Amino acid sequence: MRHNVEDLLKVIKDRRTIRPGDYSDKEVSKADLETILSSAIWAPSHAETEPWRFKVYRGDKKAELGEFLKNLYLTKTPEDKQDPVVVGRITGGAAKASAVIAVTMKRQETEEIPEIEEIEAVACAVQNMHLTCTALGLAALWGTPRLIYLEEMNDFLGIDKKDKCLGLFYVGHPAKEWPEGNRKPVEEVTEWFD
């Protein structure tokens, strides 16, 4: 055995999505954020395109991100469909998190690799980030509100039109007990063909 599988499975099974409303005010260190991002870049990618890109918002820059998202939501959502709870989550999430990482996909210039494979590679990078947060005892949420797929989001982030924002990754220290989790047994979701 190359590594301890039991320890690996413990981290995988312990991973939880924890919302920013359940974060404490304690700051996550830059060193921990760098560790999280360093784990992300070791995700698999077809033809080693490494399509993941990260924009880390901390301090006052989180408020700017929250304000932009709030205004985008209010501009793009018909008035009769606007939900004050959503507005509160948008601004509150950015305020409560120690850091918000915009996770983007840099599209391959030649577009030889199908876009879906680039998206999948970035998703693998996010899983690495989540697992690293778990190992560090940090709370995390990969948020994918519809707003992130709009052209205005690309403009705000300064990414090309064919690139994509694939989520906002919120990181903080948990303020509560680590939540329990559950999954269906593997037998319920697996078919074997021998």
Side-chain angles (χ1 to χ4, degrees):
M1 191 170 343
R2 191 169 165 89
H3 297 284
N4 186 317
V5 175
E6 285 183 26
D7 287 345
L8 175 63
L9 288 174
K10 281 180 191 172
V11 174
I12 291 170
K13 290 177 180 179
D14 201 32
R15 187 217 52 81
R16 297 288 175 275
T17 293
I18 302 174
R19 298 188 172 283
D22 293 326
Y23 296 177
S24 74
D25 293 333
K26 184 178 175 185
E27 287 293 315
V28 173
S29 71
K30 186 173 183 183
D32 281 348
L33 292 170
E34 289 171 342
T35 298
I36 293 162
L37 295 170
S38 292
S39 74
I41 66 170
W42 286 99
S45 66
H46 189 173
E48 298 180 1
T49 58
E50 301 180 30
W52 39 78
R53 299 292 185 273
F54 310 101
K55 296 183 182 280
V56 183
Y57 292 84
R58 300 189 313 155
D60 294 339
K61 293 298 181 182
K62 291 184 309 169
E64 288 178 27
L65 174 64
E67 192 65 21
F68 166 76
L69 291 168
K70 178 185 88 171
N71 291 334
L72 186 58
Y73 173 79
L74 294 173
T75 302
K76 295 294 184 176
T77 307
E79 203 169 321
D80 62 325
K81 302 246 192 255
Q82 293 176 4
D83 185 344
V85 173
V86 172
V87 173
R89 264 195 228 131
I90 289 170
T91 54
K96 196 73 171 137
S98 184
V100 182
I101 303 170
V103 179
T104 68
M105 177 207 69
K106 177 72 177 158
R107 188 70 176 108
Q108 183 188 32
E109 288 298 321
T110 61
E111 299 187 19
E112 290 175 43
I113 303 300
E115 183 183 58
I116 187 66
E117 293 183 19
E118 302 285 64
I119 293 169
E120 291 162 345
V122 175
C124 288
V126 172
Q127 176 72 345
N128 285 1
M129 294 166 69
H130 241 302
L131 294 174
T132 303
C133 284
T134 301
L136 292 168
L138 297 173
L141 163 73
W142 180 17
T144 54
R146 291 180 186 173
L147 298 172
I148 63 167
Y149 305 120
L150 298 176
E151 189 175 313
E152 289 88 344
M153 190 70 186
N154 282 36
D155 294 341
F156 178 82
L157 295 173
I159 62 176
D160 291 340
K161 298 230 179 288
K162 66 179 183 175
D163 300 340
K164 289 188 176 358
C165 179
L166 296 180
L168 300 171
F169 193 80
Y170 297 82
V171 183
H173 285 275
K176 301 178 179 179
E177 291 291 316
W178 201 263
E180 293 292 320
N182 57 55
R183 289 290 188 269
K184 294 176 183 175
V186 71
E187 295 81 12
E188 286 187 29
V189 296
T190 307
E191 292 182 68
W192 292 84
F193 302 92
D194 293 326

